[in-house]
Every structure is written in structure tokens, then in C-alpha cells.
Amino acid sequence: MKVSLEAMRASDPEFLTADCPHRLLLDHVTSKWGVLIVAALADGTMRWGELRRAVDGISEKMLATTLRTFEADGLVSRHAYPEIPPRVEYTLTPLGQELAEAMGPLMEWVGTNAAIVGR
Amino acid sequence: MKVSLEAMRASDPEFLTADCPHRLLLDHVTSKWGVLIVAALADGTMRWGELRRAVDGISEKMLATTLRTFEADGLVSRHAYPEIPPRVEYTLTPLGQELAEAMGPLMEWVGTNAAIVGR
DNA sequence: CTGGATCCTAGAGGATACTG
DNA sequence: CAGTATCCTCTAGGATCCAG
């Protein structure tokens, strides 16, 4: 399947024009860490610490803010258990799982073509 | 198809770890304007001016630098015609077209789910 | 028409310390 | 363990002017 801005704009003329909601959502999910967090959570529910380790190099701040953005977007759900020590789990919502599947081909492409990248 | 960091790392343990080439390539193609440029070019060869109009809101600087990055990555090819006034056309390479196809599902997902986005 | 060259800024992102 | 709070850096990106 191809992308085709033209085709998408045939049904919605505002598709990916400046300041449209599509742009905002696209910026969220293609953010530096957003892609990696979704990819990590695609494997299933994870705790904060697991996620931090799975997404190599992420700072605590960016993990927190990206997760909050995704929660607000309804892509990730958070469940905190009232225990000592605390345990908090993050899971993709059904919508988030759709996203994970939609990103599958892109991730595969990156996986097989990383060698080509120039500086 | 799901993404699954785990699965990808089974074959390549370095997959999407910090400073790996995958990260670099991913940053290129998921950059703010990169996605939109690939999407626009997926419809076929375009001239500089067309591209500028198709990618609503892009500055000349970012159009130029993103195109140069993609050229260096082998995703886009540039052809300048020695005419007055100048005409320059940009086309996706075969590799770029693969990328465009890989991004298809993501674009569709964004198209159908933009309403959900929070601020 | 297709850019290159400059200058500038907002905000993404990082480092560190601290807390329930 | 799972975060918040601060402060700071840096660069992606924008605005503008200029040129072949």
C-alpha cells in the first residue's frame, strides 16, 4: 500500500495541511521516543523500569512526558498498584495496538535498510 | 504485523539501541518534514515548487536540508534541467518507494484516528 | 524558479537531585 | 520503585535576504 497525499486529500482536503489534527497526532507518534515506546509496548505490558531499559538511552523526563502524551491520546493505559515498593504498568490500548501494527512495516524496513544511512 | 522490539533484537541484538544506525535512519525518516516529503513524492516526481506547495507550511530551508539528507541516504534522486528558468525534479528511488509503502499503514492510521488527539 | 547563506529562537531533550 | 522538580544545552527549524 502506498501513502499518496493526493488520495487522502481527495476524501479530506485538510489532510496533513498545516495545524490540522493529523499533523499533531503524527508529531506525537513519530517523535524521537514515541516510536520506540510503542515498539517496546507492542511486546506486551511493561513496568516503568522495564520500559526504561527496553528503550535504550531514554531519560526519565522524556519517558514520563511521552507516556503522559500517549495516555492523553488514548494510546497507552497506566495502571498503578498500591504496593510497597510501587509497581506501575503500562499497556497499549486497542488503539495503541492498531498503531503498533501500522508501524510494523516501517520498523521492518528500518531493520533491513539501516546500512544505507549517510551522515 | 506487529513491531516487536524483542523479535527484531533476536536477530540483531543492537536493533534500535542508542547510537545504532537504525536510530539514525529512523530519525531521518520520522523527522517532522521527512514523513510528509516522502508522502508527497509517493504520488510521483515533483518539482521543487510543487513539493513546497504540497508540503504545507514547510520552510525553504527545511525542504532543502531534508531533501539533501534523503539524497545522501539514497531515498530521493534529484534531476536538474539546464533551462531558463531552472527546473529541478525530485523522485523517490526504488528504496524510497519501499519506504513509502512501508509508511502507508501508518498514514492510513493517522488519517482515520486524528480526531482522538489531545493537546 | 531553485535554491544558498545568515542569523535567530523556541522548545525538545538531557543531567542531576530529590521524594513518597 | 516510580516518578517530580530544576536547571541547562543544543539543534531542529523559522525568517529573511540574496543569487544564478
Side-chain angles (χ1 to χ4, degrees):
Chain A
M1 185 205 332
K2 261 206 300 188
V3 258
S4 185
L5 271 186
E6 266 182 51
M8 302 291 277
R9 281 175 180 162
S11 44
D12 178 4
E14 311 267 276
F15 183 66
L16 288 181
T17 53
D19 302 323
C20 72
H22 306 93
R23 280 276 182 94
L24 196 56
L25 181 57
L26 192 61
D27 284 350
H28 287 183
V29 305
T30 64
S31 69
K32 182 176 176 64
W33 300 111
V35 181
L36 301 176
I37 288 179
V38 170
L41 286 178
D43 287 324
T45 296
M46 296 186 82
R47 304 181 54 165
W48 167 275
E50 288 179 300
L51 211 38
R52 190 160 170 24
R53 265 170 276 120
V55 180
D56 191 36
I58 196 171
S59 67
E60 298 190 340
K61 176 184 173 183
M62 289 318 296
L63 181 54
T65 68
T66 308
L67 282 173
R68 267 190 267 114
T69 300
F70 282 170
E71 245 194 293
D73 291 342
L75 299 173
V76 166
S77 65
R78 188 191 111 113
H79 195 308
Y81 299 85
E83 309 172 352
I84 305 285
R87 177 165 57 106
V88 180
E89 295 185 339
Y90 295 89
T91 316
L92 289 182
T93 63
L95 191 61
Q97 299 207 20
E98 277 183 36
L99 172 59
E101 296 208 18
M103 291 201 327
L106 179 58
M107 302 298 281
E108 287 253 339
W109 182 88
V110 169
T112 56
N113 293 105
I116 61 102
V117 72
R119 249 101 260 275
Chain B
M1 185 207 330
K2 264 206 298 188
V3 259
S4 185
L5 272 186
E6 265 183 50
M8 302 291 277
R9 280 175 180 162
S11 43
D12 178 4
E14 309 268 276
F15 183 65
L16 288 180
T17 53
D19 302 323
C20 71
H22 306 94
R23 280 276 182 95
L24 196 57
L25 181 56
L26 192 62
D27 285 349
H28 288 183
V29 305
T30 64
S31 69
K32 181 176 177 63
W33 300 111
V35 182
L36 301 176
I37 289 180
V38 170
L41 287 178
D43 286 324
T45 297
M46 295 186 84
R47 301 182 53 166
W48 168 275
E50 289 179 298
L51 212 37
R52 189 158 168 31
R53 264 170 277 121
V55 181
D56 191 36
I58 195 172
S59 68
E60 298 190 340
K61 178 186 172 183
M62 288 318 296
L63 182 53
T65 66
T66 309
L67 282 173
R68 266 190 269 114
T69 301
F70 282 171
E71 245 194 293
D73 291 341
L75 299 173
V76 166
S77 65
R78 189 190 112 113
H79 194 307
Y81 298 85
E83 308 172 352
I84 305 285
R87 178 165 56 106
V88 180
E89 295 185 341
Y90 295 89
T91 315
L92 289 182
T93 64
L95 191 61
Q97 299 207 20
E98 276 183 37
L99 172 58
E101 296 208 19
M103 291 199 329
L106 179 59
M107 302 298 282
E108 287 252 339
W109 182 89
V110 169
T112 56
N113 293 106
I116 60 103
V117 71
R119 250 102 259 276

